[in-house]
Amino acid sequence: MATLSAKNSPNRACPLEYTRNIGISAHIDAGKTTVSERILFYSGLVHKIGEVHEGTAVTDWMEQERERGITITSSAVSCHWKNKVGLFAGIDHQINLIDTPGHVDFTAEVERSLRVLDGAIAAFCSVAGVQPQSETVWRQMNKYSVPRLAFINKMDRTGADFYGAVNDIKEKLQGNPHPLYLPIGAEANFKGLVDLIKMVAYVYDENDPNGMKFDEVEIPADMKEKAEEYRHALIEAVADFDDDIMMKFLDGEEVSEDEIRRGVRKATMTREFVGVIPGSALKNKGVQMLLDAVVDYLPSPMDVPPIKAFAEGDEDTPSLEIVADDFAAPTALAFKIWADPFVGKLVFIRVYSGCIKKGMTFYNPRTRKTERISRLVVFMADQRTDVDEAYSGSICGLIGCKELITGDTMCEREHEVRLEPPTFPDPVIAMSIEPNSKADQEKLSIALQRLAEEDPTFVVTSDAETGQTLIAGMGELHLGIIRDRLLREFKVDAQVGKPQIAYRETILGSADGVGKFIRQSGGRGQYGHAEIKLEPNEKGKGYEFLNEIVGGVIPKEYIKPTEEGIKEAMLNGVVAGYPVVDVKVHLVFGSFHEVDSSEMAFKMAGIFAFKDAMKKANPILLEPIMKVDVQTPEEYQGDVMGDLNRRRGQIQGMETKGNLCNIQAFVPLETMFGYATDVRSLSSGRASYSMEPSHFEQVPANVLKQVVEGSTRKNARS
Ligand code: GDP
């Protein structure tokens, strides 16, 4: 048994060492919801197995999710698990399961939940292997350094291929997968698992449909050799991470079961090794072994590196590290906002250090205000329980905190910290929205504002020229769901316009710009004069402002207003009125007037200076490019590729697996509307595809003309 650290409060129910904050991520339909559901079942929380296809899965709270059969929002559920054997045998562990959505339109949700996890289960379908979305999620997990296990689900399906899926992880994801268990049989014959560490077999009792009963038996004779071979490979792989095991391995000495487990744990923590478990969530097989592996191999909040945080005054680099410790100052991150029909705004938080108590006030560095916690709750599937305290490493919910939004840090005023904000991709699609009746206008703006607080990839703006409200997000489905939620949760019926591309503008060259706002006709005059140097910034770096004014040619109090003007001008670029990205603005010169200068005049000067410089700096229009992955039977391959070419697609790769051909391409989003229908009719309904935003690229000249002409933003060409 591991010794407990001094960082545990004597009041906490489950020590930090025995806590696991994990998530499950997968390609849509790989079985993430079913696996979560079974985890809750086996851990004794839910007493009836709910089937996803019947729409009763407890982690799927939202109605639309049930209807659409996909998990949109991440919910957090806690449960307990006690291993019978292994490193932590007999010790009760608390597993906090943070649900992560599988659909590409909800990448922000995935990123947000990955940030608060310590470890993850990557679920794959044993038939399909690595699918496009599993690749995206895997990359995101790498970005957030999440140690993980792989669960090869659906071993009962026709075509199940455990070894093929393991190989896929190696080849397509460049992972280092090693089975911890092997499947006994496959498809309808999938009977159980061979434990490569204990070297026994677990065979499920077919008379128990819930999979609660399985017998520990000898490894089937026809699998013995294979099991030896894989065990050997496992020990060899683990030896790379553990010198003691390496010595024993090289000397041909026996490595004990617990030594292997410790080795696997150590290797998993490095993120350079992934333990693999086969199973069938639907047929209730392999889930208990998966839970054992979560406890044995995934990290507790003590095992992960301290989270980086910004101290007051830190600019780009965080200088603080927050360690899980119940006695330290309280620090927590709000990672999800949920508009709950019963209790109202519910904020999901992860406590990183210290203790969060009911009734306490905390400081929010973003708003510079304090707020009181009136209720603290934990989630047990679809029911919540009020608690008085939550300690470091835990996930809980707050009720009654009006000011908190996603990404906010909670801390003490005396210990001000900001946890690194997560990064989110830019929206790629936009549409206009207006209420069906004038009376609903205010309700609509309030609702949109609330939804934007919940979701950082959902952006609401208004068109300065037409006064139209625009909503932008990660895809048609994303915005469709927002519209559903408006109707259901906020009772606002709204009309949306046709989806439009969320273009961006930037510059290729550098230029100087002059802005003067001078009025001297009767009454009080206006005087503002600013000069800037504009240059391209690194891709993805966004906007940077450098104040290089010397000798007070623009007085200090007018610098901010000038910058505000520049920022306002950047909302509507000079090419077609789209937002400007990745530019560096140096404010270099200007002049003022003792009496006539005002904030307003310098703001106008900023706007004019920016427009002037941008026009001269070789401005271009950028369009979102999607990474598209099409799976089609071979006979339609030619047609599918021809069609992608017509859509200005650039084919990146192609591979054939059996009769199925997988085509990857970069395609401008502009040409992808209606693709679902077109690809279906091209392939007699047999091809499937997925796409996700990849990057922005310059719009070719012929297309640019159409965009500029079609742009309703008349101000753009001024
Ligand atoms: P998610 O989209 O990743 O959350 O996947 P779901 O859990 O919703 O599962 C998608 C579909 O696959 C549902 O119809 C499930 O019943 C089915 N499914 C899940 N696990 C298994 C499995 O182990 N075997 C088989 N045959 N089907 C499964």
Side-chain angles (χ1 to χ4, degrees):
M1 186 189 290
T3 41
L4 294 183
S5 66
K7 297 185 167 158
N8 283 290
S9 154
N11 299 336
R12 64 187 294 150
C14 180
L16 261 169
E17 283 82 347
Y18 304 149
T19 302
R20 302 284 180 271
N21 288 315
I22 63 155
I24 306 181
S25 43
H27 186 87
I28 186 154
D29 258 10
K32 192 193 59 201
T33 311
T34 315
V35 174
S36 314
E37 179 78 5
R38 296 309 192 259
I39 287 179
L40 298 182
F41 174 76
Y42 290 113
S43 63
L45 256 184
V46 180
H47 297 291
K48 184 174 167 289
I49 288 186
E51 294 299 344
V52 180
H53 53 252
E54 289 167 10
T56 57
V58 281
T59 44
D60 276 16
W61 287 351
M62 291 174 68
E63 276 178 64
Q64 298 102 305
E65 288 179 56
R66 292 183 188 198
E67 281 170 18
R68 292 171 199 250
I70 54 173
T71 311
I72 300 159
T73 41
S74 42
S75 46
V77 190
S78 304
C79 62
H80 288 266
W81 186 251
K82 212 184 266 184
N83 285 12
K84 293 203 174 69
V85 291
L87 301 176
F88 302 98
I91 302 174
D92 192 30
H93 277 67
Q94 178 165 343
I95 299 177
N96 299 319
L97 195 63
I98 299 143
D99 194 15
T100 54
H103 195 279
V104 279
D105 273 11
F106 309 109
T107 307
E109 293 269 356
V110 183
E111 295 232 351
R112 218 187 292 156
S113 38
L114 287 185
R115 237 182 94 74
V116 299
L117 306 174
D118 299 316
I121 299 166
F124 298 91
C125 166
S126 66
V127 183
V130 169
Q131 290 166 286
Q133 180 63 5
S134 24
E135 238 176 295
T136 313
V137 176
W138 191 272
R139 275 203 307 277
Q140 283 166 338
M141 284 199 224
N142 287 345
K143 177 170 158 195
Y144 287 93
S145 298
V146 183
R148 70 209 79 149
L149 293 165
F151 185 64
I152 311 291
N153 190 33
K154 302 199 184 183
M155 279 306 298
D156 60 297
R157 270 188 62 191
T158 309
D161 179 4
F162 175 72
Y163 302 96
V166 174
N167 204 37
D168 251 19
I169 298 178
K170 201 181 300 170
E171 293 196 343
K172 291 197 182 152
L173 304 176
Q174 278 83 49
N176 180 20
H178 287 275
L180 305 172
Y181 295 85
L182 294 182
I184 305 174
E187 307 183 340
N189 242 337
F190 176 53
K191 293 196 175 71
L193 287 78
V194 168
D195 181 337
L196 294 175
I197 297 176
K198 217 173 156 201
M199 286 305 265
V200 292
Y202 304 112
V203 176
Y204 281 87
D205 181 346
E206 293 300 331
N207 297 321
D208 171 21
N210 287 346
M212 298 296 274
K213 289 193 216 134
F214 52 83
D215 295 321
E216 185 177 315
V217 295
E218 237 187 81
I219 297 175
D222 61 349
M223 281 193 72
K224 278 207 168 113
E225 203 176 310
K226 192 167 208 166
E228 286 294 349
E229 179 197 322
Y230 273 86
R231 180 180 216 262
H232 188 84
L234 175 65
I235 299 173
E236 189 177 5
V238 164
D240 280 344
F241 302 91
D242 187 312
D243 292 342
D244 293 339
I245 297 181
M246 180 59 95
M247 294 302 284
K248 287 195 168 184
F249 181 77
L250 293 176
D251 292 342
E253 272 180 55
E254 185 62 25
V255 186
S256 77
E257 285 176 27
D258 273 355
E259 274 173 323
I260 306 178
R261 290 189 188 104
R262 266 193 294 276
V264 172
R265 183 169 179 81
K266 211 165 151 184
T268 308
M269 300 292 170
T270 66
R271 296 146 189 98
E272 306 277 321
F273 173 101
V274 180
V276 190
I277 300 137
S280 162
L282 187 69
K283 302 286 180 199
N284 306 311
K285 292 182 176 120
V287 180
Q288 296 100 327
M289 293 75 184
L290 178 65
L291 279 165
D292 284 351
V294 165
V295 164
D296 267 347
Y297 310 128
L298 290 184
S300 78
M302 314 267 326
D303 300 315
V304 291
I307 181 162
K308 298 256 190 302
F310 294 83
E312 208 182 341
D314 283 359
E315 300 238 319
D316 290 340
T317 345
S319 64
L320 299 175
E321 290 193 331
I322 309 286
V323 180
D325 178 352
D326 293 348
F327 301 101
T331 311
L333 176 76
F335 68 94
K336 167 147 198 77
I337 309 285
W338 173 258
D340 185 274
F342 301 105
V343 297
K345 181 170 168 180
L346 215 157
V347 183
F348 286 79
I349 62 166
R350 160 145 184 182
V351 186
Y352 280 94
S353 72
C355 169
I356 298 283
K357 291 191 172 108
K358 177 178 162 178
M360 78 186 262
T361 39
F362 64 88
Y363 180 67
N364 182 343
R366 181 184 58 85
T367 58
R368 312 220 140 265
K369 285 192 206 154
T370 52
E371 237 185 311
R372 186 172 172 277
I373 299 174
S374 52
R375 275 177 76 190
L376 200 59
V377 291
V378 292
F379 305 90
M380 294 292 179
D382 56 352
Q383 96 197 33
R384 46 180 156 255
T385 314
D386 276 86
V387 291
D388 290 332
E389 295 168 327
Y391 293 95
S392 52
S394 51
I395 307 279
C396 58
L398 305 177
I399 297 172
C401 290
K402 296 212 165 47
E403 304 264 348
L404 269 184
I405 61 170
T406 303
D408 276 354
T409 303
M410 301 163 62
C411 60
E412 282 177 346
R413 199 192 279 269
E414 307 79 67
H415 296 100
E416 182 174 335
V417 295
R418 274 174 301 125
L419 295 163
E420 229 174 345
T423 53
F424 296 110
D426 282 335
V428 292
I429 199 168
M431 42 179 84
S432 64
I433 185 163
E434 54 185 277
N436 275 349
S437 71
K438 267 258 165 328
D440 271 355
Q441 183 64 53
E442 199 185 327
K443 249 164 89 186
L444 176 69
S445 355
I446 294 172
L448 290 177
Q449 189 195 334
R450 286 251 200 95
L451 291 166
E453 276 178 10
E454 280 183 24
D455 179 352
T457 57
F458 173 64
V459 181
V460 184
T461 50
S462 72
D463 189 310
E465 189 78 345
T466 61
Q468 256 184 342
T469 304
L470 292 175
I471 55 175
M474 300 312 293
E476 282 177 276
L477 181 60
H478 186 197
L479 296 184
I481 284 172
I482 297 265
R483 203 177 148 214
D484 277 7
R485 290 191 61 190
L486 281 175
L487 193 59
R488 275 169 216 263
E489 289 169 32
F490 299 93
K491 314 275 177 270
V492 189
D493 197 3
Q495 291 290 331
V496 292
K498 271 231 275 307
Q500 307 160 15
I501 309 291
Y503 293 102
R504 295 270 179 277
E505 297 185 15
T506 193
I507 48 168
L508 293 178
S510 304
D512 297 333
V514 180
K516 284 186 180 163
F517 187 70
I518 302 172
R519 298 276 183 280
Q520 257 132 5
S521 51
R524 199 190 145 184
Q526 292 283 359
Y527 190 100
H529 166 207
E531 296 192 13
I532 63 165
K533 187 174 158 44
L534 185 64
E535 58 175 347
N537 205 356
E538 241 172 85
K539 225 179 186 177
K541 263 254 164 123
Y543 152 80
E544 243 175 282
F545 176 77
L546 299 132
N547 174 16
E548 289 163 12
I549 290 297
V550 283
V553 290
I554 298 180
K556 262 207 187 81
E557 66 265 35
Y558 297 135
I559 303 285
K560 256 237 129 54
T562 312
E563 190 192 356
E564 271 165 27
I566 292 169
K567 279 195 187 150
E568 195 176 304
M570 283 180 54
L571 294 175
N572 295 290
V574 300
V575 182
Y578 290 100
V580 180
V581 296
D582 301 340
V583 291
K584 220 185 240 181
V585 183
H586 305 256
L587 180 59
V588 290
F589 190 68
S591 63
F592 70 104
H593 185 280
E594 288 293 348
V595 184
D596 291 347
S597 280
S598 66
E599 292 194 355
M600 174 59 197
F602 273 97
K603 186 174 169 190
M604 295 308 291
I607 295 179
F608 294 155
F610 185 84
K611 294 222 172 213
D612 181 42
M614 188 173 178
K615 275 183 203 155
K616 297 186 274 185
N618 195 1
I620 56 164
L621 189 70
L622 300 169
E623 64 178 338
I625 305 293
M626 309 302 280
K627 181 172 174 276
V628 180
D629 231 293
V630 192
Q631 276 185 340
T632 171
E634 237 179 338
E635 62 255 51
Y636 305 109
Q637 179 195 332
D639 291 343
V640 169
M641 282 177 58
D643 177 66
L644 286 173
N645 277 328
R646 273 191 294 281
R647 292 173 195 270
R648 295 197 280 127
Q650 301 156 25
I651 309 288
Q652 298 296 305
M654 209 180 56
E655 74 188 283
T656 313
K657 207 172 163 185
N659 168 41
L660 268 189
C661 180
N662 203 332
I663 304 163
Q664 288 114 31
F666 284 131
V667 194
L669 174 63
E670 186 245 333
T671 67
M672 287 300 284
F673 290 120
Y675 188 64
T677 321
D678 295 351
V679 77
R680 231 178 280 135
S681 67
L682 264 179
S683 64
S684 311
R686 292 179 56 206
S688 67
Y689 79 103
S690 80
M691 67 171 176
E692 59 165 333
S694 168
H695 59 278
F696 280 79
E697 246 175 51
Q698 182 173 358
V699 173
N702 56 334
V703 182
L704 175 67
K705 199 159 163 270
Q706 290 165 21
V707 178
V708 175
E709 276 165 10
S711 167
T712 52
R713 298 156 184 245
K714 293 170 249 41
N715 58 334
R717 276 153 282 155
S718 62

